[in-house]
Amino acid sequence: MEMYVQLLERLRAETAEAHDELDSAHDGGAFAGLAAYGRFLEAQARIFPVAEAALAASGEYRTLPDWDRRFRADALIADLATLGIAPPQSMPFELQDRPGAATGLAYVLEGSRLGGKLIARKLAQAGLHDAPTSFIAHGADQRFWQSFTAWLANRHPDEAFGDAAVASARTAFALFLEATRREPECH
Ligand code: HEM
């Protein structure tokens, strides 16, 4: 149990600043309109398909319960289509072949579900009832975050594993930030 707290706490602490930056780059999820929400989804869509494909190919990731039910790229592309936005080009992406790397990436993708919940509330508050939400609401009734953290409890990581997980999570956050700062593509 202690290992799990340590790894989750480490991941949280060592990516907190990057998360704050990402959060403010998206105005804390308080989107002014559908166009701004579309830009948020478009930035996510530069990474989710390639990141999920990398996880699907990882034996480490495939030990996570329901691993193949967690993928959300299709929902994301469908939401973009509803907004009339074509799938954007993917960012160059590579998952390091080191124990812990898939775990760190999974932390970032699974954790982003928590932000999704808040975004769903803010969309409703802003009266954006037409906003497509299959990506941000994906798995809302599945307790995926809870089962992810329980899985993390059984990683029994040594320090090198933790280092690789943190490095991978930080790389992923940096990539999301870069995707966010890109100009939207012309359609
Ligand atoms: C509009 C943008 C975003 C907002 C407003 C937001 C907000 C939040 C909120 C409210 C939490 C829950 C904090 C808690 O319960 O302690 C959270 C957690 C998290 N978010 Fe975000 N988020 C955003 C974007 C993202 C993105 C794009 C990613 C990654 C792709 C991400 C990754 C995470 C992670 C990894 C956690 C888990 C932290 C932890 O408990 O260890 N977030 N976010």
Side-chain angles (χ1 to χ4, degrees), residues 3 44 49-50 56 98 115 123 125 135 143 162 186-187:
M3 282 295 196
Q44 308 306 297
V50 273
R98 270 170 85 186
L123 288 174
Q125 280 164 11
F135 169 69
R143 302 178 61 81
C186 295
H187 301 293

Side-chain angles (χ1 to χ4, degrees), residues 7-9 11-13 15-16 18-20 22-31 40 43-44 47-48 72 104-119 121-122 135 145 148-149 152 169 172-173 176-177 180:
L7 183 54
L8 180 60
E9 292 308 320
L11 283 163
R12 196 173 269 160
T15 61
H19 182 273
D20 284 354
L22 194 55
D23 181 337
S24 35
H26 287 295
D27 300 322
F31 300 110
F40 164 76
Q44 308 306 297
I47 299 167
F48 263 85
R72 290 183 280 163
L105 174 60
Y107 165 75
V108 178
L109 300 193
E110 288 301 310
S112 83
R113 292 181 194 278
L114 303 176
K117 266 193 197 167
L118 180 84
I119 291 169
R121 269 204 310 276
K122 292 203 170 171
F135 169 69
W145 175 249
F148 170 76
T149 53
L152 205 58
F173 266 115
F176 275 102
L177 200 58
T180 299

Side-chain angles (χ1 to χ4, degrees), residues 23-81:
D23 181 337
S24 35
H26 287 295
D27 300 322
F31 300 110
L34 283 183
Y37 177 56
R39 284 195 294 277
F40 164 76
L41 292 180
E42 195 173 2
Q44 308 306 297
R46 292 182 193 282
I47 299 167
F48 263 85
V50 273
E52 289 182 345
L55 290 178
S58 154
E60 180 176 310
Y61 181 74
R62 292 196 305 266
T63 65
L64 174 61
D66 299 325
W67 65 270
D68 55 343
R69 295 176 50 236
R70 293 172 184 264
F71 295 141
R72 290 183 280 163
D74 289 349
L76 182 50
I77 301 305
D79 285 351
L80 282 174

Side-chain angles (χ1 to χ4, degrees), residues 78-156:
D79 285 351
L80 282 174
T82 302
L83 293 173
I85 302 172
Q89 216 173 32
S90 292
M91 307 283 287
F93 183 86
E94 203 184 335
L95 182 63
Q96 281 210 324
D97 188 14
R98 270 170 85 186
T103 297
L105 174 60
Y107 165 75
V108 178
L109 300 193
E110 288 301 310
S112 83
R113 292 181 194 278
L114 303 176
K117 266 193 197 167
L118 180 84
I119 291 169
R121 269 204 310 276
K122 292 203 170 171
L123 288 174
Q125 280 164 11
L128 297 174
H129 301 292
D130 294 340
T133 56
S134 53
F135 169 69
I136 56 170
H138 179 274
D141 51 358
Q142 304 282 326
R143 302 178 61 81
F144 279 143
W145 175 249
Q146 287 79 0
S147 52
F148 170 76
T149 53
W151 173 78
L152 205 58
N154 295 312
R155 300 288 80 211
H156 300 300

